[in-house]
Amino acid sequence: MEQLLKKHQRLEINGLLLTIGVTVAIAIGGMIEIIPPLFIRSSVPAEPGVKPYSALELAGRDIYIREGCSGCHSQMIRPFHWEAVRFGRDDNDENVYSTAGEYVYDRPFLWGSKRTGPDLWRESDLRNAEWHYRHFKDPTMQGEMAYSTHPAYPWLYEKRIDVEEIVRSMEVLDLFGTYAGQNAVYISRARAELEGKREIDGMVAYMMKLGRDRRESIDGLRKEKKLTVQE
């Protein structure tokens, strides 16, 4: 025991040895944490009905990130009553709370940690596309929301979406298995989908994507259950 303590003391007083030892320990721990997930397709399965972003929705998401929207908006509804009341339809609806399987195609995650504005993860349940087209141009909605601190984004109505940039983004996402080997199909659709589109079209499409897949899946299951009961 005494010899072990002496060896440890020698390590502590020798800066070079201590640095090497710490570096080796961090490297081993890092490899154990980082390498295994690289060979796992997905540790969290996608929620039923959740689909990858279309080209237009992906363009809108990139614009959302570029404009720093996650600095004021979160995208995660926690399992608390007041969260459901504030950002969802009602707390008895299983579509309200966020689940891990809804985020499998999000790279990076945009959960956020500040709510200067409302949470947007169920935005498609609350407001329609027309509302967003008006809101991004005039956040006060001609006086209807005079209290709004949301900035206007007039340039989104003028600037065209860079088609090739979005195609490159889709190619990178496919490296992570986002399109499950159907990247060529998605890209062929992308060019037609984005042709002549403005950035505001992408942003609104992204807003209408948030929460839609899971809601449609749950509504479909409810319809099936109702038909089964009737039979």
Side-chain angles (χ1 to χ4, degrees), residues 55 58-59 62-63 66 159-172 191 194 199:
L58 183 63
D62 287 350
I63 295 165
R66 184 194 72 195
K159 193 174 180 181
R160 299 287 177 180
I161 292 174
D162 186 335
V163 178
E164 295 307 316
E165 181 180 342
I166 300 304
V167 169
R168 287 194 296 271
S169 295
M170 296 176 79
E171 290 172 343
V172 172
R191 299 185 190 282
L194 296 175
E199 289 191 340

Side-chain angles (χ1 to χ4, degrees), residues 1-230:
M1 184 67 179
E2 188 176 343
Q3 289 182 345
L4 182 62
L5 289 174
K6 286 182 179 180
K7 289 181 180 179
H8 192 275
Q9 187 178 25
R10 194 180 304 125
L11 179 65
E12 288 182 337
I13 63 176
N14 190 315
L16 179 60
L17 282 177
L18 183 61
T19 301
I20 293 173
V22 170
T23 302
V24 170
I26 292 174
I28 293 172
M31 287 188 291
I32 292 172
E33 289 288 331
I34 295 170
I35 292 176
L38 296 178
F39 297 94
I40 300 174
R41 201 62 168 177
S42 177
S43 57
V44 178
E47 281 281 338
V50 174
K51 299 181 285 291
Y53 293 102
S54 70
L56 189 59
E57 292 161 354
L58 183 63
R61 190 173 193 271
D62 287 350
I63 295 165
Y64 182 96
I65 294 171
R66 184 194 72 195
E67 299 296 340
C69 301
S70 56
C72 291
H73 294 281
S74 61
Q75 289 190 18
M76 180 174 62
I77 301 178
R78 298 170 294 179
F80 300 119
H81 174 74
W82 58 87
E83 294 260 316
V85 171
R86 187 176 182 187
F87 303 119
R89 291 187 286 189
D90 63 75
D91 63 339
N92 294 317
D93 189 335
E94 60 266 48
N95 184 44
V96 172
Y97 307 130
S98 302
T99 62
E102 293 183 81
Y103 298 97
V104 293
Y105 300 119
D106 279 30
R107 295 184 174 88
F109 299 119
L110 298 175
W111 294 326
S113 59
K114 193 171 186 293
R115 285 176 176 166
T116 302
D119 186 277
L120 299 176
W121 194 237
R122 297 284 180 253
E123 186 62 21
S124 64
D125 286 344
L126 305 176
R127 285 167 278 270
N128 59 31
E130 181 184 356
W131 187 93
H132 284 288
Y133 274 108
R134 293 176 58 202
H135 182 64
F136 281 111
K137 181 174 284 186
D138 176 19
T140 65
M141 305 289 278
Q142 296 182 339
E144 294 175 25
M145 298 174 61
Y147 56 86
S148 177
T149 59
H150 195 285
Y153 292 90
W155 55 89
L156 299 183
Y157 295 80
E158 301 168 1
K159 193 174 180 181
R160 299 287 177 180
I161 292 174
D162 186 335
V163 178
E164 295 307 316
E165 181 180 342
I166 300 304
V167 169
R168 287 194 296 271
S169 295
M170 296 176 79
E171 290 172 343
V172 172
L173 287 172
D174 195 47
L175 297 176
F176 296 92
T178 298
Y179 299 106
Q182 300 181 45
N183 194 30
V185 176
Y186 278 90
I187 288 178
S188 64
R189 293 175 183 169
R191 299 185 190 282
E193 186 180 358
L194 296 175
E195 185 178 358
K197 296 293 185 181
R198 301 165 297 167
E199 289 191 340
I200 186 62
D201 299 318
M203 183 67 97
V204 173
Y206 178 56
M207 292 293 103
M208 293 297 94
K209 166 75 168 176
L210 297 177
R212 184 186 66 217
D213 289 350
R214 189 158 184 250
R215 182 188 71 243
E216 290 179 350
S217 175
I218 289 174
D219 288 347
L221 289 173
R222 285 176 174 169
K223 187 176 181 180
E224 288 179 11
K225 288 180 181 178
K226 188 176 180 180
L227 290 173
T228 302
V229 171
Q230 289 176 347

